[in-house]
Amino acid sequence: MRVLVIDDDSGLAQAMRTVLKTYSVRLSAAETPEQGLHMLATRDFDLLLLDVMLPEINGFEICRRIRSTPSPYQHIPIIMLTARSDLTDLVVGLETGADDYITKPFEPRELVARIHAVGRRFRDRPSEDADAGNGDLTCFRLDDASLAIDIANARVQVEGQTLPLTSMEYELLVFLAAQAGQVFTRDDLIESLQVISPLSVRSIDALVYRLRTKMRSVDSRADFIRTIRGRGYSLIGQRVGAAPRLEEASG
């Protein structure tokens, strides 16, 4: 597994390289955002470790740029690194498109576990260029907007346009869609998504916000996730069952 870390602490990067090598993880390091983005653009990596406190520009902004700018590495799994344990960092990280979060100092085994957990979620999802076939396709309609979820190929489209979802966003949407119309509390959703990182009510709200934003960016009518005041969230819309295979994303 090939991992890039962007962190201005060269000593930490060297220590991580030594540890990760014993777990078959090859670590490359960049000390500045500019160097890191150049390495992402010119070499292939399976995952990015991104420090929050970087010179010139912070890790949140780097994460936001990676997720919002079309590029070969736009969907790379990202784990944020921070020396602060503030819950706000976790929420902001999820809002900008990170897939996980780890607080310094961390135990080597915890880092390895998180790298493999996040990497495994992405390896289990076929790429968007894969043949969609006739997978397990579930479709919904709401106010003439369409939502299609292809479980077999881990692809989601609104009005025929593929959504670039992080692993947690995708898993949250699939969970809600599997029991569409049912209201889930934030605690229900935390339990459904519980991996290595402890999630919180605010992090669930951040995930829902990002999902809504991505769907509405395609069609303002695609408001498939509703907040039920005092209770939680629910996926709404008319289930229309199977449909023709998803179209390949344009561009």
Side-chain angles (χ1 to χ4, degrees):
M1 188 175 189
R2 296 157 299 182
V3 174
L4 172 66
V5 59
I6 304 179
D7 193 323
D8 59 341
D9 186 342
S10 59
L12 176 63
Q14 182 57 46
M16 287 194 296
R17 181 182 290 114
T18 301
V19 171
L20 293 176
K21 184 177 181 180
T22 65
Y23 292 92
S24 301
V25 176
R26 290 178 291 170
L27 185 70
S28 299
E31 294 185 21
T32 67
E34 181 180 4
Q35 181 186 12
L37 291 175
H38 176 73
M39 292 174 69
L40 282 175
T42 56
R43 298 166 60 180
D44 291 329
F45 294 100
D46 300 305
L47 185 142
L48 173 63
L49 298 174
L50 181 58
D51 189 35
V52 170
M53 301 302 292
L54 288 169
E56 301 175 5
I57 181 173
N58 66 48
F60 297 134
E61 180 59 27
I62 293 296
C63 184
R64 185 180 291 108
R65 291 185 185 182
I66 289 174
R67 293 300 190 223
S68 62
T69 305
S71 68
Y73 55 85
Q74 183 180 17
H75 307 306
I76 188 171
I78 298 175
I79 298 177
M80 304 295 295
L81 309 176
T82 179
R84 299 180 298 181
S85 59
D86 189 347
L87 176 61
T88 301
D89 280 1
L90 170 58
V91 175
V92 173
L94 291 173
E95 288 177 342
T96 56
D99 295 280
D100 206 346
Y101 171 103
I102 188 169
T103 303
K104 302 176 185 177
F106 43 76
E107 293 293 329
R109 287 185 179 275
E110 180 186 8
L111 176 62
V112 171
R114 295 198 184 202
I115 287 174
H116 283 301
V118 173
R120 183 168 55 251
R121 296 208 305 267
F122 273 78
R123 288 193 301 271
D124 290 345
R125 294 176 59 182
S127 70
E128 292 184 359
D129 295 327
D131 183 0
N134 295 313
D136 182 7
L137 187 63
T138 302
C139 298
F140 299 88
R141 293 203 68 82
L142 177 66
D143 296 334
D144 292 328
S146 65
L147 169 66
I149 305 172
D150 185 352
I151 301 297
N153 296 283
R155 187 179 303 183
V156 175
Q157 289 188 343
V158 169
E159 289 297 296
Q161 181 172 322
T162 299
L163 297 184
L165 301 183
T166 66
S167 58
M168 281 194 183
E169 291 165 0
Y170 173 78
E171 290 169 12
L172 176 61
L173 180 60
V174 168
F175 179 79
L176 289 171
Q179 302 173 78
Q182 182 172 338
V183 179
F184 293 96
T185 67
R186 290 170 175 81
D187 287 340
D188 292 333
L189 299 179
I190 289 172
E191 183 177 355
S192 75
L193 295 174
Q194 193 64 268
V195 283
I196 295 174
S197 299
L199 296 178
S200 67
V201 167
R202 290 177 63 190
S203 60
I204 289 296
D205 291 341
L207 286 170
V208 171
Y209 171 79
R210 283 186 59 81
L211 267 174
R212 282 174 164 165
T213 299
K214 289 180 178 181
M215 289 190 286
R216 290 170 177 170
S217 70
V218 176
D219 190 321
S220 61
R221 300 169 298 178
D223 190 15
F224 286 93
I225 301 178
R226 290 290 171 85
T227 301
I228 311 301
R229 187 176 298 276
R231 297 177 63 191
Y233 295 107
S234 178
L235 188 139
I236 64 171
Q238 180 183 2
R239 187 190 296 268
V240 293
R245 57 179 291 178
L246 294 182
E247 297 296 329
E248 294 295 333
S250 60

